[in-house]
Amino acid sequence: ASVAKKDAAVAAAAFAAVKVGDFISGAVDEYAEFEQAMANTSAIAGASADDYAKLSAAAREAGKATTFTASEAADALGYMALAGWNVEESTAALTPVLKLAEATQADLATTSDQVTDSMSAMGVGIDDLQGYLNVIVTTNNKANTTAADLMDAFIGCGGAARAAGMNYKETSTALGILANNGIKGSEAGTALNSMLVRISTKDVAQKAFKDLGVAVYDSSGEMRNMRDILVDLNGAMAGMTQEQKNSYMSAIAGTNYYSQFGYLLDGVKEGVNGSASAWDELAGAIDNSTGALDAMDATATGTLQGALARFQSAISDLKISMVED
């Protein structure tokens, strides 16, 4: 019996030694992966030693607080550096971007790239990042589009939207209406871009507006709110035949996109018994989107799988600390 106990003890010690060895080996691999990710990000950012320390600390902290590892967070910082964001901007944006990827269960690298590109297209500053992501999440939840498709659409129409004086909330509403009619992603961005360019610059479109008695610009020369323009157009074309309406819509939006323009016109029409239009309902949700990102992220990650992922991220950070020490 004593021999059996000794054999069991030896076996247990051997098993423990193997597990400790595996942990140490895994820790070395974990640290090497993080170190390389940080080296790549620092090279892209042209980071000084002080910048490196800030970026590393942000990646480590994000790794402990989310389902993503520190190495994955470091890679996300690299995409922000590629977009030209400085260290302060990147570190401030990191956790919200990770939360968006968590909330939508999307690829982190793709999400980071789409956030930076779409913000650049729409002229959104880092100080408005949280509000921007709240709008993206709300539109994702209230319209027939994903956050990824919406950001792709922003990239396609951002320049024209900005030139037309449309902020990201109004643009998101228009893109949400198009998405509800099956036009989404880059296709929606291209369509809205073309429509806005024609409305604001093409003589044939300007003539159609003049014939209908609808003003595109206000007295100060600024483009009017898109919703108001669409409402006035519906009023001006009331009583016309479909052929007449199609002719005007084609003149305004072009032969390739007049049907998509029709979706926007339908979107601002009141519902049955005077209920709010689809445009107004979506715009109202977007205007009240504060906290949407955090709420969706908490729901998506408040599961056993989410808890296990956060635990693994914490273990990953422990391994990095052990090798670093």
Side-chain angles (χ1 to χ4, degrees):
S2 60
V3 173
K5 288 181 179 179
K6 288 180 180 179
D7 287 344
V10 170
F15 179 78
V18 170
K19 288 301 180 182
V20 169
D22 289 344
F23 185 86
I24 293 173
S25 176
V28 172
D29 291 341
E30 194 81 39
Y31 180 82
E33 182 181 0
F34 175 69
E35 183 185 43
Q36 188 60 57
M38 282 304 309
N40 295 341
T41 293
S42 297
I44 295 169
S48 64
D50 184 55
D51 289 338
Y52 181 95
K54 291 177 181 178
L55 291 168
S56 179
R60 294 280 300 276
E61 190 60 34
K64 289 187 291 185
T66 68
T67 59
F68 295 105
T69 65
S71 296
E72 291 171 323
D75 287 336
L77 288 170
Y79 280 96
M80 296 174 195
L82 280 172
W85 289 10
N86 61 35
V87 173
E88 286 70 26
E89 291 171 331
S90 297
T91 54
L94 180 57
T95 296
V97 170
L98 295 182
K99 285 186 174 183
L100 178 64
E102 282 185 331
T104 58
Q105 298 294 291
D107 176 70
L108 177 57
T110 302
T111 299
S112 300
D113 198 30
Q114 288 177 320
V115 168
T116 55
D117 287 353
S118 63
M119 286 179 66
S120 177
M122 288 301 302
V124 180
I126 191 68
D127 56 332
D128 203 12
L129 172 65
Q130 191 70 41
Y132 178 69
L133 297 183
N134 281 335
V135 166
I136 286 176
V137 166
T138 298
T139 309
N140 175 100
N141 294 341
K142 299 297 183 180
N144 187 22
T145 183
T146 64
D149 280 343
L150 181 61
M151 288 186 286
D152 277 345
F154 276 137
I155 293 168
C157 69
R162 291 166 63 187
M166 295 176 68
N167 59 32
Y168 63 81
K169 290 184 177 181
E170 187 181 10
T171 306
S172 190
T173 303
L175 292 171
I177 296 298
L178 291 176
N180 287 342
N181 289 276
I183 312 299
K184 58 190 75 176
S186 58
E187 181 186 2
T190 299
L192 186 58
N193 181 81
S194 179
M195 286 185 269
L196 291 174
V197 169
R198 286 188 64 89
I199 289 172
S200 58
T201 64
K202 296 298 182 180
D203 290 342
V204 64
Q206 296 297 314
K207 183 179 184 302
F209 278 112
K210 185 175 181 180
D211 290 347
L212 291 168
V214 176
V216 175
Y217 298 95
D218 61 24
S219 58
S220 63
E222 299 297 322
M223 190 165 171
R224 297 172 61 212
N225 181 280
M226 178 57 67
R227 174 194 177 280
D228 295 341
I229 293 173
L230 294 170
V231 169
D232 287 351
L233 280 173
N234 277 332
M237 292 190 295
M240 289 185 179
T241 65
Q242 191 60 53
E243 181 180 7
Q244 291 172 318
K245 291 179 181 179
N246 288 346
S247 178
Y248 276 115
M249 288 191 296
S250 180
I252 292 170
T255 55
N256 292 327
Y257 295 109
Y258 79 91
S259 59
Q260 289 88 333
F261 188 63
Y263 296 146
L264 296 181
L265 288 169
D266 288 341
V268 300
K269 292 179 180 177
E270 290 185 349
V272 179
N273 298 323
S275 60
S277 67
W279 182 292
D280 287 345
E281 283 191 356
L282 180 55
I286 286 173
D287 283 338
N288 293 282
S289 61
T290 301
L293 173 60
D294 289 342
M296 185 176 180
D297 179 54
T299 300
T301 62
T303 61
L304 176 58
Q305 182 175 331
L308 290 173
R310 286 190 296 274
F311 177 73
Q312 289 300 322
S313 292
I315 293 297
S316 172
D317 184 74
L318 175 63
K319 290 177 178 179
I320 293 171
S321 294
M322 186 180 74
V323 176
E324 192 172 55
D325 290 342

